[in-house]
Amino acid sequence: MPSLSDDIKDELIPFDKEAAKRIVERLGPSIFQQLPPKARDLVSAIACASPYLSGLAVRYPTNLVDILTLPIDETIALAMQEAWQAADEETSDAQKRGLRQAKARAALCLGIAEAGGAIEVLRAAALWSDFADAACGSALKMAYQSSNVLFNKHRKLLAATECDGQTSSQAQISGPLSDTICGIAVIAMGKHGARELNYSSDIDLVVIYDPEAAIFTQAGLDPASAKTIAVNITKDMIGRLSDQTKDGYVFRTDLRLRPDPGASAAAVSINAAEAYYEAYGQNWERAAYIKARCVAGDPTVGADFLKRLRPFVWRRSLDYAAIEDIHSIKRQIHAAKGGAKIEFHGHDLKTGRGGIREIEFIVQTQQLILGGRDQSLRPRATVKAIAALVDCGALSSETGAALDKSYRYLRRIEHRIQMISDEQTHKIPETKENTERLAFFLGAPSMEIFETELRSVLQYVHTVFSDIFGKEQALSDDAGSLSFTGVDYDTATLATLREMGFVDPNFIADRVKRWHAGEVRSTRSIRARELLTKFTPSLLRALASSDRPDDSFLAFDRFLQRLPGGLQIFSLFINKPQIFDICIRIMTFSPYLGRQLADRTNLIEAMTDASWPRPMGDSNEAAAALELQLGTSVDFEQGINAVRRWAHEAQFEVTAALAVGRAEPDKVGEAYTSIAVRVIEVLLPLAMRETERKHGKIDGNLAIIGLGRLGAVRMSAASDVDLVFVYDCPSDAQSTGPVAIGGPEYFTKLVRRFLTAMTAPTEEGLLYDVDMMLRPSGRAGPAAVSIDAFLKYYASDAWVWERMALIKARVVATDTDFADKINKVLSNIQATAIDEDVLLQGVRDMHARLNKAKPAKSYWDIKSVRGGTADIDFILEFLALKNAQKLRGKPLNRPQDLIQTLGAMSVLSGDEVEALSTADRFLEIILQLQRAAHGADKSDTSADPNNPVARAAPKGALAASIMETLDASTFAALEERFESCLASVKVIFDAHIGGDQ
């Protein structure tokens, strides 16, 4: 056989003549003279271009002489034998050293052979892959030998078996464990599996073990113990390959193509792997397994695993959605179709336009679509697959030949780039000097000619790609690359996300990849993931349109995580894009609503109604729906669940309508309040019936009084309800049940039953938090108080702040006659005069206590900030109590009405009426929008605890909504009006109440 030097065909011109001279000095004249004359100029030229190869030559000069005087195949066989023999060294350090020295021989041989044209690039890649097989097998053998649990006790099981013939030369030189019954199989993926390994590439491995293999079972190991040993052996093997020592490394290894890499161990059991791919396998993983090959370990386990995966990889029939998803693997990478500018300096030969990845995807997608029925389309190697596609008519002979030539051309450049410094890079250098060095290394006459040739090839490949994939609907965004397949972050995708406005594109890409990996319940079905793939670009574009894209994305991510299944929702989004648009707008505006959407998908279904959302205040249809649900309820629990379903849907509709701009913020308070009143009106009879069922009836009545925002008809999203329960019955009244009980006990039980209906958690979630602190005597008082006790308390024992709270009181549920009686009682209490000095001091004390107990969380804490809604309440309640007798019989609970009434009575001046009315409406709109966005979390952003009135302003969609609603052209203009309102309220507060604020 001819030696490597005999096969040299290409003459390289030295890029740096001084460097060419230095290699002679570094090798030494005696060594240089031993080189065949034909090889000396080549070695000198390589030394100018490749610091890595020249370093290997100087470090191993005798290797250099041998390499040039032996046939290439013989040198690689010798390197493989050295790799296997390294496993027989006595120490771990010696074993690692032997592997790395064997790698140096193979790398130097193939680098010189390729550079000199003695071997074609794909033949070199195949031999390099064979060496990688031997290195993996030897490293696995070393790992087994270090595992005393297995190797020392079961040497007979580790005897070598007959080679399965999967590699070209392993059979002649393989050592123990290269293909033995050892229970563990090493599967090579990607270019290693296809025997197309890059010169300076990672090797992608999947390690599979069978816990039922004899080596494990005869050692008495249960599956958990077998897993522990398999994982430890795998980690040991990987370390021996990839650890950086003074002798370098053998191969960088990557295990991320294993099943569920985020959750699985380094080695995966064969059954677990099969189950994963059956349930969650994605089309890009199918494409990856086209090239899979067992390269080390137990061939029986390897063959069994790959056989089990055949139905996953090679489907005999594919529905349209699956084909669409396969095409999307590549369509996501480039949005534009053809004609896009191709850069030269810095262009990525692997993932850039017209690059190696495009050729591979052209081939692999066609293999996946057609290979299920035609086994001839299943070659691992790219050029063999191209030939097969030509033979079956999927590619024309002209296109096939051109793609074959282009693939070899690009791989040749890629190898030269990597030979320069042994770096895993695929990019043309950024600088002119380094690009010229590469051109000389390739034997190109000049950099300009090299650039022209490369651009031509890249443009041709991209044109073919566009012709194939451009016919389908583009799934990427016009902004650029959006690829979420594979295990690595696509750099172009990260750039696209950043350009779209996402602050943390790595997090966004990671979450989307996790969606597609089925890590959330809603994406665990194959069909759901296919649909998700289809609208992901539209989703990202919609989320990016908000002022805070990352927050909007988080809201949708939470939505996906809470969904029990995604197929129906994703189908709805695709078929009804208007619903998708509304949902995204809701989530962009309100994370609070996003959580509700995730918990109750029926809320989304309600949006499909053409009448959604119903006009504010039109509750007849909703009330009828509630009555219908109650009519089918057979017991108390079913009844309260029916009420909760209705209330949640009604509350969501109001909040969602506010979020998407279909409701007026100054009117939603009435809508929220009417929902709460309706709930109370329905639950009270339910509680009564349940109480009567157990205790009979009693001669008496119960009234529910609403206070706070419920009494003021100003409830908001996630408001609680302030309630007081007052009953009236004869003092000697007894219930009619088997065990008679008196009025106080009876109505206490009724109230407790009602509170259970309101607040107890059920499968329909919580309804309202109920606050009863405003009842007579607060926590110390009874749950239900008699009307006589109520009157007596407010006549003699009530604090000033309790009288203030009663300004907003109104009856929200009872029979008509008793409601009239209670309203008269409330009116009389409200009209009872209080000594002005006592009143003023009580109001000031309460204001100070409130400011200390609940200080403003931020400058935009609408309720608590100085001059905010709480101060308006203090002003109105103080003036109402100060002028109690003048206001007798007039409604006091609605702030806007009370402002006008006080103005008509000249208690407030005209300017004060205008200022208070304007500020009250302005602040109420902001508060309603804040609560719609954040629910019970009433502040948009948390403030610095050391500066509780820090300017933590609303941001993003919330700020935009507030500005639009209040007709503010800029946020600065909004803030100016906000400050003006706060200032005017503070002036009025100081004028009427004063005190040390």
Side-chain angles (χ1 to χ4, degrees), residues 11 18 78 100 102 123 160 172 204 226 234 428 482 549 577 623 756 814 840 961 964:
E11 294 184 8
E18 292 301 317
L78 179 60
R100 284 150 182 76
R123 174 59 182 156
Q172 301 173 10
D204 295 294
T234 300
I428 300 298
L482 286 175
T756 296
T814 191
L840 183 59
S961 180
E964 181 180 1

Side-chain angles (χ1 to χ4, degrees), residues 80-142:
M80 293 171 69
Q81 188 173 16
E82 288 176 343
W84 281 110
Q85 289 172 346
D88 297 329
E89 296 290 342
E90 294 184 358
T91 67
S92 177
D93 287 345
Q95 290 174 344
K96 289 182 178 181
R97 187 182 311 114
L99 268 182
R100 284 150 182 76
Q101 290 174 349
K103 181 260 181 92
R105 182 187 297 274
L108 185 58
C109 171
L110 294 175
I112 294 173
E114 246 199 272
I119 191 172
E120 192 267 338
V121 61
L122 294 186
R123 174 59 182 156
L127 291 176
W128 189 228
S129 301
D130 291 345
F131 175 79
D133 294 354
C136 289
S138 179
L140 181 62
K141 178 180 178 180
M142 296 174 191

Side-chain angles (χ1 to χ4, degrees), residues 255-273:
L255 295 175
R256 289 178 298 164
L257 286 179
R258 70 186 185 276
D260 197 10
S264 62
V268 183
S269 78
I270 190 170
N271 292 331

Side-chain angles (χ1 to χ4, degrees), residues 423 633 872:
E423 294 177 345
S633 302
I872 294 176

Side-chain angles (χ1 to χ4, degrees), residues 58-95:
V58 171
R59 184 167 188 176
Y60 302 104
T62 56
N63 280 359
L64 177 63
V65 175
D66 292 342
I67 284 167
L68 288 165
T69 55
L70 290 173
I72 297 170
D73 283 13
E74 189 173 329
T75 298
I76 298 303
L78 179 60
M80 293 171 69
Q81 188 173 16
E82 288 176 343
W84 281 110
Q85 289 172 346
D88 297 329
E89 296 290 342
E90 294 184 358
T91 67
S92 177
D93 287 345
Q95 290 174 344

Side-chain angles (χ1 to χ4, degrees), residues 460-533:
Y460 171 79
V461 171
H462 190 62
T463 298
V464 174
F465 162 77
S466 297
D467 288 343
I468 293 174
F469 292 99
K471 297 174 184 177
E472 305 294 331
Q473 176 190 5
L475 292 187
S476 6
D477 189 85
D478 291 339
S481 175
L482 286 175
S483 173
F484 302 102
T485 60
V487 295
D488 292 315
Y489 294 136
D490 179 66
T491 54
T493 295
L494 297 180
T496 299
L497 292 171
R498 192 174 291 107
E499 290 169 5
M500 293 172 75
F502 291 101
V503 176
D504 190 352
N506 289 72
F507 173 79
I508 304 298
D510 180 71
R511 290 308 307 169
V512 175
K513 287 167 76 71
R514 290 178 184 274
W515 297 347
H516 288 293
E519 290 192 17
V520 294
R521 287 180 299 174
S522 57
T523 64
R524 285 179 183 167
S525 76
I526 293 174
R527 180 58 175 155
R529 292 196 295 273
E530 289 169 348
L531 293 177
L532 179 65
T533 297

Side-chain angles (χ1 to χ4, degrees), residues 122 196 354-364 366 382-387 389-390 394-411 456-469:
L122 294 186
E196 298 176 325
I356 295 166
R357 183 68 61 81
E358 288 198 348
I359 298 175
E360 291 174 338
F361 271 94
I362 289 171
V363 173
Q364 289 172 354
Q366 300 309 304
T382 301
V383 292
K384 291 182 179 179
I386 291 173
L389 289 170
V390 170
L395 292 175
S396 69
S397 57
E398 294 80 6
T399 299
L403 287 177
D404 181 299
K405 183 178 179 181
S406 298
Y407 184 73
R408 295 174 190 272
Y409 175 79
L410 294 174
R411 288 297 308 273
S456 176
V457 171
L458 294 172
Q459 188 60 62
Y460 171 79
V461 171
H462 190 62
T463 298
V464 174
F465 162 77
S466 297
D467 288 343
I468 293 174
F469 292 99

Side-chain angles (χ1 to χ4, degrees), residues 215-454:
I215 193 169
F216 296 121
T217 58
Q218 291 188 19
L221 299 174
D222 59 20
S225 300
K227 175 181 178 180
T228 299
I229 290 174
V231 169
N232 289 339
I233 286 175
T234 300
K235 290 179 178 179
D236 190 354
M237 176 190 75
I238 297 303
R240 294 172 188 276
L241 290 170
S242 60
D243 285 351
Q244 185 76 37
T245 72
K246 66 178 182 179
D247 299 299
Y249 67 98
V250 188
F251 288 100
R252 294 175 294 263
T253 55
D254 193 335
L255 295 175
R256 289 178 298 164
L257 286 179
R258 70 186 185 276
D260 197 10
S264 62
V268 183
S269 78
I270 190 170
N271 292 331
E274 181 183 23
Y276 168 83
Y277 290 116
E278 285 180 352
Y280 307 121
Q282 300 177 67
N283 280 315
W284 71 264
E285 290 174 305
R286 294 177 57 215
Y289 271 98
I290 290 175
K291 297 183 177 183
R293 179 172 60 92
C294 181
V295 297
D298 195 324
T300 303
V301 174
D304 184 20
F305 173 66
L306 295 178
K307 181 179 179 181
R308 293 190 194 188
L309 256 60
R310 282 176 196 158
F312 165 67
V313 179
W314 305 111
R315 299 181 187 173
R316 290 193 58 79
S317 61
L318 291 172
D319 60 22
Y320 177 77
I323 294 174
E324 187 177 68
D325 187 51
I326 292 167
H327 281 180
S328 79
I329 294 173
K330 183 59 186 176
R331 282 207 311 277
Q332 287 183 93
I333 291 185
H334 298 306
K337 300 176 184 177
K341 182 179 180 181
I342 293 175
E343 300 293 339
F344 175 61
H345 291 290
H347 190 81
D348 194 314
L349 296 179
K350 180 178 180 180
T351 61
R353 292 183 186 277
I356 295 166
R357 183 68 61 81
E358 288 198 348
I359 298 175
E360 291 174 338
F361 271 94
I362 289 171
V363 173
Q364 289 172 354
T365 52
Q366 300 309 304
Q367 284 183 286
L368 287 180
I369 293 170
L370 303 173
R373 293 183 176 274
D374 188 346
Q375 295 189 26
S376 69
L377 298 178
R378 301 180 185 180
R380 297 186 183 96
T382 301
V383 292
K384 291 182 179 179
I386 291 173
L389 289 170
V390 170
D391 290 342
C392 79
L395 292 175
S396 69
S397 57
E398 294 80 6
T399 299
L403 287 177
D404 181 299
K405 183 178 179 181
S406 298
Y407 184 73
R408 295 174 190 272
Y409 175 79
L410 294 174
R411 288 297 308 273
R412 178 171 174 265
I413 299 172
E414 178 188 46
H415 274 208
R416 291 296 195 282
I417 293 172
Q418 294 179 350
M419 285 177 190
I420 292 173
S421 298
D422 188 31
E423 294 177 345
Q424 190 189 13
T425 179
H426 314 273
K427 291 184 177 181
I428 300 298
E430 297 280 357
T431 66
K432 180 179 179 181
E433 179 183 359
N434 287 335
T435 308
E436 287 180 342
R437 180 192 304 273
L438 175 62
F440 273 80
F441 198 14
L442 286 161
S446 68
M447 186 185 75
E448 290 73 22
I449 292 176
F450 169 47
E451 179 178 354
T452 300
E453 291 178 346
L454 178 58

